[in-house]
Each structure stands twice: as structure tokens, then as C-alpha cells.
Amino acid sequence: MCPHRLVLEHVTSRWGVLVLIRLLERPHRFSELRRAIGRVSEKMLTQTLQTLERDGLVHRDAKPVIPPRVDYSLTDLGCEAAGQVRALALWTERRMDGVLAARQAYDEARRTHAETLRAGHEARTL
């Protein structure tokens, strides 16, 4: 797989998008990031953060204190990527009515087509 396609997958993955958008607001600790995103397992969030860190998009700042404190923030590269992802997310919100209308029209056309085929088949079998 081309390296740029792999990074695109990381940035646009289900959890990658949400992590980037949240971290664009401000740095987060792991637990608060997990709460902010919701419905993500600890394992999946850990893997997503590690992947984005490896790609140079996320910075992990582990403080040598007891109890351990780890903060996650975006790098300059991560801020740029997160801005692009957020723009796409905002576009999706703004255009959702159009998407829903297109889905309804598509489903209706498929239903009509299926009914026409079914009626033609029934007419031939009589």
C-alpha cells in the first residue's frame, strides 16, 4: 500500500477523525479524551493514539509524577490534518439534509424498480 494512502486511512479512520478534532480544541489526558469521544474502548483509543503519534500528528507528553500523567496534543502537522478533517466534518453537518434527501430518493427509486420487476415477473408467470 502507498504510504500516503496508509496515512489517509489513519487520519480518516473512525477514531482517528474524532481524536484529531478533539485534540484540535486543546490537549487532553487519556481518560478525558476517552470520555469526550465516547464509546471507544481503551485498547482502540490507545492504538489510534499510537498510530497518530507514529505518523507525527500527535505528541505524547508523559510526566514523571505519581500517579503518572500523560497529555496528548497535536503537532503542527497534526493541527494541519485536524483542520482538514474538521472542515470535512462541518461540511457533513451542513449538507446532511441534502444527503438524507438523496438517500430517500435513491431508496424510493430502488423500491419502485424492484416493484416493477416483481410485477413483470408475476405477469409472465400467470
Side-chain angles (χ1 to χ4, degrees):
M1 181 179 285
C2 298
H4 68 277
R5 287 182 64 183
L6 192 55
V7 173
L8 184 61
E9 281 186 23
H10 298 163
V11 169
T12 60
S13 71
R14 177 180 185 180
W15 304 117
V17 166
L18 298 175
V19 165
L20 290 171
I21 290 173
R22 284 295 175 179
L23 290 180
L24 191 55
E25 298 168 1
R26 64 175 176 79
H28 283 71
R29 293 179 70 178
F30 183 89
S31 57
E32 65 181 354
L33 186 58
R34 186 168 179 220
R35 276 192 305 275
I37 291 172
R39 294 185 2 193
V40 60
S41 70
E42 188 172 318
K43 179 183 176 186
M44 198 73 238
L45 182 56
T46 298
Q47 287 176 351
T48 300
L49 287 165
Q50 287 174 345
T51 299
L52 295 174
E53 183 182 6
R54 183 170 184 254
D55 288 342
L57 305 176
V58 168
H59 174 72
R60 182 180 186 272
D61 184 22
K63 307 255 194 281
V65 295
I66 297 174
R69 178 183 172 109
V70 179
D71 292 305
Y72 294 92
S73 60
L74 293 176
T75 63
D76 289 343
L77 196 58
C79 284
E80 188 178 344
Q84 298 296 320
V85 168
R86 183 176 59 184
L88 181 59
L90 291 172
W91 174 86
T92 304
E93 284 180 33
R94 285 192 316 271
R95 303 300 294 176
M96 199 61 210
D97 288 344
V99 171
L100 292 174
R103 286 179 180 176
Q104 186 175 2
Y106 176 87
D107 292 346
E108 182 59 32
R110 298 270 302 186
R111 194 171 19 262
T112 301
H113 180 69
E115 289 170 0
T116 302
L117 289 176
R118 195 172 18 256
H121 176 72
E122 290 172 359
R124 284 192 303 270
T125 58
L126 292 177

